Amino acid sequence: MQNDLFDGPTGSEADTPVLSELVREILSTPASVVHALGEDLIIEYPHAFDPSLSLKAFDAIDLTTPWRQDEIRIAGRTIPVPRLQCWMGDEHCRYAYSNISLHPVPWTQEMASIRDFVNKVSGADFNCVLINKYRSGEDSVSWHADDEPELGPSPRIASLSLGATRRFQLKRKPSLGLTDTELSERVVMNLRSGSLLIMEPGVQESWVHQIAKTKVPVGVRINLTFRVIEGAVSGSS
Ligand SMILES: O=C(O)CCC(=O)C(=O)O
């Protein structure tokens, strides 16, 4: 039933898979699993998209996203970010991290429909998304929290995974009063295609996360992290 919703126009437009009807209608709220990280919560929807829908969404996003290869400066050297990215969202949603300033590209039809679905499931009002493409096990994102000032003091983040399964790890941010055991603890989730995580407020304040490189051969993965940026941001042009 979900597949019918992908059936787009015929003729020349048929070259671009159309997802727009898809996510608008498809799903009643999918089944969820709640992960308690201390007092912080991650809600996982392991099958937010079924396998067929995930494949089609992957292809459509891969085709319609204007991927960019950003660079960062570390210890005086300029190196490529180990993944492709695209920052997409409402016009005012400027975003800066690791000395990279991002202006949003406008919503594609496909991504807007996925955003609407994620908003419906989470009850949030996400207005921007960082799209990451991990081309192989060599691609990664190192330990960080999505806690930039633009996101407000206590952001909720939604993360949809498509394509190859990758291992998502979390560990606590160092903080007074934590024991060595707590600091060495790792929470590990294998993020499979079609899974949606909602990292509730509190997670970014107390935890960092990463997708580490792996020597195990893995296919391409696309991850969407939806965020909210309130109002226009000054100083991050
Ligand atoms: O690829 C992922 O699952 C994580 C992406 C991420 O950490 C980010 O976009 O900040």
Side-chain angles (χ1 to χ4, degrees):
M1 184 172 157
Q2 292 179 11
N3 295 344
D4 299 343
L5 293 160
F6 276 107
D7 291 342
T10 53
S12 59
E13 287 177 63
D15 295 332
T16 304
V18 171
L19 297 181
S20 48
E21 294 312 312
L22 97 90
V23 203
R24 217 160 269 153
E25 313 271 328
I26 30 177
L27 306 165
S28 49
T29 306
S32 62
V33 179
V34 177
H35 301 271
L37 282 62
E39 298 190 340
D40 305 308
L41 293 182
I42 296 184
I43 302 170
E44 181 183 18
Y45 299 90
H47 308 290
F49 283 12
D50 74 13
S52 161
L53 185 55
S54 301
L55 266 178
K56 289 179 179 177
F58 178 101
D59 287 344
I61 293 167
D62 201 17
L63 201 66
T64 57
T65 300
W67 297 110
R68 41 185 280 174
Q69 173 66 75
D70 286 313
E71 294 180 330
I72 41 171
R73 271 187 83 71
I74 294 182
R77 287 175 52 222
T78 301
I79 55 165
V81 170
R83 58 195 179 276
L84 300 182
Q85 302 186 115
C86 174
W87 176 242
M88 190 176 286
D90 294 357
E91 171 64 23
H92 74 270
C93 292
R94 297 188 193 165
Y95 189 50
Y97 75 95
S98 297
N99 296 324
I100 300 173
S101 284
L102 299 170
H103 275 267
V105 301
W107 293 102
T108 60
Q109 197 182 28
E110 290 76 14
M111 196 59 72
S113 58
I114 294 173
R115 174 205 59 204
D116 291 348
F117 164 68
V118 171
N119 282 348
K120 187 174 151 198
V121 171
S122 62
D125 196 11
F126 294 114
N127 58 13
C128 46
V129 60
L130 183 62
I131 313 169
N132 284 310
K133 180 174 175 180
Y134 303 86
R135 295 156 290 187
S136 71
E138 281 295 300
D139 278 355
S140 60
V141 62
S142 55
W143 290 115
H144 70 284
D146 301 333
D147 58 0
E148 291 76 15
E150 297 94 310
L151 302 175
S154 195
R156 172 182 282 120
I157 305 284
S159 165
L160 181 75
S161 294
L162 299 166
T165 302
R166 293 291 294 265
R167 177 172 291 206
F168 183 69
Q169 293 175 290
L170 299 113
K171 67 177 181 182
R172 283 187 171 83
K173 286 183 182 175
S175 157
L176 276 181
L178 290 179
T179 63
D180 287 349
T181 310
E182 286 170 323
L183 286 170
S184 61
E185 186 190 349
R186 297 287 181 275
V187 177
V188 179
M189 297 180 192
N190 288 314
L191 299 187
R192 299 195 167 77
S193 195
S195 71
L196 173 66
L197 294 188
I198 311 292
M199 292 185 263
E200 291 292 348
V203 174
Q204 306 305 321
E205 288 105 294
S206 304
W207 299 78
V208 288
H209 55 267
Q210 74 163 356
I211 300 281
K213 294 183 192 306
T214 175
K215 297 223 176 299
V216 177
V218 287
V220 181
R221 170 173 182 265
I222 291 175
N223 175 262
L224 320 175
T225 47
F226 290 89
R227 302 138 191 257
V228 177
I229 293 186
E230 303 283 356
V233 176
S234 58
S236 62
S237 58

